[in-house]
Amino acid sequence: MEFCVEFSNLNIKVSSIYDYTYNFCKEYLSDKSPDFEVATTEEKISKEIEVSDFNPPRGYAESICIYREIAEKIPEFNRCVFHGAVVEYDGSGYIFTAPSGTGKTTHIMLWKKYLGEKCCVVNGDKPILNIEKNGVTAFATPYAGKEGMQNHSSAPVKGICLIKRGKENRIERVSAGKYLTEIIPQVYMPKSPAAAIKTLEMLDDLLKIVPLYVLYCDISEKAFKTSFEALTKGN
């Protein structure tokens, strides 16, 4: 099966073996000429299933392989896949990132709870970032975590917040250099040496352009107020 999707203003021709990826990406289908093409193999799908924690169906595993192939190619277009949840408020995007299970989804749900329709989730897990010298834009994709939170939109990124669990709620703006070992694992790093170098260059630009914060928090209203006031006033 062949079809085209549009992610982060890039048109991508996908060749899939199973129909899961087509159905998964229906909201992003495009009839424009592709900027590049991706495909996977039964061997790669089998390997994906082997390393998975829950023995996924082959169609689901193929969709993961396809996104990985996309992530390998987009550095050429000044883009990368970032592990984080992006919320948009008043025209600005804020990324909450942390190792899986730390609480980024819980925290963005606090933003939704207390801001309601004033806030939307651009992507809840793996947005694509377009990193240029004059700014960074986060784009939705259907690859949005098990909750599937995304709204097929984009937002200029005005802050990155590294979440840590804490008994008290506090936030501080920090030097990116001190937290590189925690930020680098949140960026998909391509296998190609050239693409990996390009990704590291983009990460350097990202951290020069966008302020980085560390948030220690629980799951209370105060946790929301702590991050909201610091990030929005930071603009």
Side-chain angles (χ1 to χ4, degrees):
M1 177 183 297
E2 294 183 348
F3 55 94
C4 194
V5 296
E6 184 174 343
F7 293 169
S8 69
N9 291 336
L10 293 175
N11 290 280
I12 306 160
K13 181 179 177 181
V14 178
S15 296
S16 66
I17 303 167
Y18 303 92
D19 60 5
Y20 180 94
T21 303
Y22 175 85
N23 293 325
F24 183 67
C25 295
K26 269 188 176 179
E27 187 179 346
Y28 292 79
L29 293 177
S30 169
D31 58 4
K32 299 175 185 176
S33 299
D35 294 292
F36 62 91
E37 302 179 8
V38 293
T40 190
T41 65
E42 291 283 14
E43 182 181 4
K44 288 181 179 180
I45 294 170
S46 294
K47 288 182 178 178
E48 181 66 31
I49 293 171
E50 287 176 11
V51 301
S52 173
D53 294 329
F54 64 98
N55 191 34
R58 296 191 72 80
Y60 176 90
E62 181 187 41
S63 73
I64 302 303
C65 292
I66 289 293
Y67 201 41
R68 187 176 294 112
E69 293 299 323
I70 291 171
E72 289 284 336
K73 294 191 176 184
I74 58 176
E76 177 184 347
F77 302 90
N78 296 320
R79 289 161 170 80
C80 66
V81 172
F82 193 91
H83 178 223
V86 182
V87 296
E88 182 270 327
Y89 171 78
D90 197 24
S92 295
Y94 305 98
I95 302 176
F96 293 93
T97 187
S100 295
T102 302
K104 68 180 187 299
T105 300
T106 301
H107 194 75
I108 64 170
M109 291 308 295
L110 291 175
W111 278 55
K112 285 295 295 176
K113 177 180 179 180
Y114 293 108
L115 293 173
E117 296 301 316
K118 295 179 181 179
C119 167
C120 70
V121 180
V122 176
N123 185 281
D125 192 48
K126 292 183 176 65
I128 290 176
L129 303 186
N130 179 200
I131 302 170
E132 305 286 352
K133 297 293 184 181
N134 60 347
V136 179
T137 305
F139 288 86
T141 77
Y143 294 88
K146 61 181 181 293
E147 295 85 4
M149 291 188 293
Q150 58 85 25
N151 68 348
H152 201 170
S153 67
S154 64
V157 179
K158 300 301 181 180
I160 300 172
C161 193
L162 181 62
I163 294 179
K164 296 178 179 288
R165 290 174 179 159
K167 294 182 179 179
E168 61 176 333
N169 295 289
R170 59 186 177 89
I171 189 170
E172 58 182 313
R173 185 169 175 175
V174 297
S175 168
K178 295 181 179 180
Y179 289 89
L180 276 178
T181 55
E182 295 182 61
I183 295 296
I184 288 177
Q186 308 309 317
V187 181
Y188 179 84
M189 199 59 60
K191 295 179 182 178
S192 159
I197 290 171
K198 175 65 175 178
T199 300
L200 289 172
E201 291 172 349
M202 287 190 291
L203 179 59
D204 184 57
D205 288 337
L206 171 68
L207 296 175
K208 286 178 180 176
I209 297 168
V210 180
L212 177 66
Y213 299 81
V214 173
L215 170 68
Y216 296 87
C217 64
D218 53 23
I219 57 173
S220 66
E221 181 180 1
K222 188 175 180 181
F224 154 70
K225 288 182 177 179
T226 299
S227 65
F228 176 78
E229 290 174 3
L231 291 171
T232 57
K233 287 180 181 177
N235 286 328

